[in-house]
Amino acid sequence: MPTPSGPVFGGWRSLATVYAPAALFSTSQGAVLPVLPLTARELGASVAVSAVVVALLGVGQVAGALPAGALVTRTGERFAMLTAAVVSGLALAGAAFAPSEAVLAVCVLALGLASAVWGLARQSFLTAAAPPHLRARALSTLGGVGRIGTFVGPFLGAAGSAVAGVRGSYAVAVLAVLAAAVVVLALPDPELDEVHHGPAPTLREVFRAHARLLATLGVAALAVQAVRQSRQTVLPLWCDHVGLDATTTSLVAGVSGAVDMLLFYPAGSVMDRVGRAAVGVPSMLVLAVGHVLLPFSHSAWTVALVGVVMGFGNGMGAGLVMTLGADHAPPGGRATFLGAWRLVTDTGAASGPLLVGALAGAGGLVVATGGVAVLAVAVAAGLARFVPRR
């Protein structure tokens, strides 16, 4: 597979600096995500409370967006990533040995905060490091290795569980995040030819200077994330609705995720060559089609086919939201702006499952899929209107 080339992508050492830690960090998260609700249940939590505990991971990511920007601005990307890795390792160990649901909840929240810091630091570095004509490929590849890690993580976690029970999955996660920290330590970030004059802008100044952008393109990106996360919620719910067992549901989700995972580099290449809207608009329209088709699928094969359509639509837009944020990040206040950008977009990601739940509660799962389809079409129109042509 081709890889981005430029001043900071000059060899395997630079590529490992950029992408290996991201792959390891996402592998850590992928390994532990399936066992978090099981841990809560073992501690005596109800199904509803277990779901809330897992949701705290997303809450932490949203809450950590602005502090992450401040930390990266103050300390730099490398130190921020090391801090995030240490906090993640401690939170994972705490979750593995948590004596109560409350302690587990605090650990999951800390894990979300650390994830916010890690993600922003990597995005901030690549925003500065990648040449503009390669930026989308660089960021979509970052998202792609994250997808690969999330895809592989549950299998490694399952191997750990087979050896040492639920805590084996946590052990795999801790090892992966510590390996990410070691790579960051061993492979310093390449030098960036950036010179900033004067103090970095404050968060208030960033919001004031970019209020119109955040209220237009930012809201469109928020809705993009909501549609994407809705897909991950509605597909397994529909599998359950038509009577598919847990194994078949996992296979359907895995096939959809595999299609999604394979498209990250082509998506970035099209964005760099043609423009951001060239993938953003079709991505949302294909996801809308997938949500419209889902109520007409009633067997494992037809649901899997719709899952492939959804995976294709989601994969078409790989790296889109990160790239849009990077395109508008000012050099002097890059991390602060990206913190504000991620606050907006991560709020969309957290709201997607809530949207599905609200629509399903009001009118059933078919209404939920139709509502998400309508939102996806509206988002496509918003991207066509607000995304710059080049």
Side-chain angles (χ1 to χ4, degrees):
M1 180 186 71
T3 52
S5 58
V8 300
F9 299 110
W12 71 267
R13 190 175 177 87
S14 295
L15 288 173
T17 303
V18 175
Y19 296 121
L24 289 165
F25 195 90
S26 60
T27 298
S28 172
Q29 291 203 320
V32 79
L33 279 175
V35 301
L36 284 176
L38 300 180
T39 305
R41 293 288 286 158
E42 286 183 356
L43 292 172
S46 65
V47 172
V49 172
S50 299
V52 170
V53 168
V54 176
L56 287 174
L57 183 65
V59 172
Q61 290 174 338
V62 173
L66 296 181
L71 179 64
V72 172
T73 298
R74 184 178 297 273
T75 66
E77 285 86 353
R78 186 166 177 266
F79 183 84
M81 282 191 295
L82 291 173
T83 301
V86 171
V87 172
S88 292
L90 293 174
L92 288 166
F97 296 97
S100 66
E101 303 111 289
V103 174
L104 177 64
V106 171
C107 292
V108 173
L109 184 63
L111 195 61
L113 293 169
S115 178
V117 173
W118 179 279
L120 190 140
R122 276 292 80 187
Q123 182 184 3
S124 178
F125 169 73
L126 272 182
T127 298
H133 68 285
L134 296 173
R135 180 179 292 152
R137 272 168 281 188
L139 288 168
S140 65
T141 301
L142 178 65
V145 297
R147 283 173 164 87
I148 292 171
T150 304
F151 183 77
V152 172
F155 294 101
L156 296 178
S161 294
V163 174
V166 172
R167 285 177 178 170
S169 294
Y170 287 101
V172 170
V174 170
L175 289 174
V177 80
L178 291 180
V182 169
V183 174
V184 172
L185 282 172
L187 300 172
D189 280 338
E191 293 292 330
L192 302 181
D193 296 327
E194 273 199 316
V195 178
H196 305 313
H197 300 284
T202 65
L203 185 60
R204 177 178 295 183
E205 290 169 342
V206 166
F207 271 113
R208 184 181 302 156
H210 300 280
R212 181 177 177 82
L213 173 72
L214 293 172
T216 53
L217 185 59
V219 170
L222 178 154
V224 167
Q225 296 293 70
V227 171
R228 286 175 167 176
Q229 292 302 313
S230 297
R231 152 191 161 266
Q232 292 185 331
T233 303
V234 78
L235 186 60
L237 287 177
W238 187 259
C239 288
D240 178 72
H241 178 73
V242 299
L244 302 183
D245 59 25
T247 301
T248 305
T249 299
S250 296
L251 289 173
V252 169
V255 170
S256 179
V259 173
D260 182 352
M261 185 174 60
L262 292 173
L263 293 175
F264 66 86
Y265 192 82
S269 182
V270 172
M271 276 193 281
D272 278 332
R273 289 181 165 87
V274 184
R276 312 328 188 196
V279 299
V281 173
S283 169
M284 289 296 104
L285 293 178
V286 172
L287 280 171
V289 170
H291 282 84
V292 169
L293 291 176
L294 192 59
F296 298 97
S297 61
H298 300 286
S299 67
W301 288 107
T302 54
V303 174
L305 183 60
V306 174
V308 168
V309 173
M310 290 182 166
F312 185 79
N314 198 62
M316 287 174 67
L320 172 67
V321 172
M322 285 196 297
T323 303
L324 290 174
D327 286 340
H328 294 87
R334 182 178 65 251
T336 305
F337 172 84
L338 290 177
W341 180 262
R342 291 181 73 101
L343 173 65
V344 173
T345 57
D346 286 352
T347 299
S351 66
L354 298 177
L355 173 65
V356 171
L359 291 174
L365 204 50
V366 173
V367 172
T369 60
V372 175
V374 171
L375 176 61
V377 173
V379 176
L383 292 174
R385 169 66 178 84
F386 296 117
V387 174
R389 294 301 171 192
R390 294 296 300 175

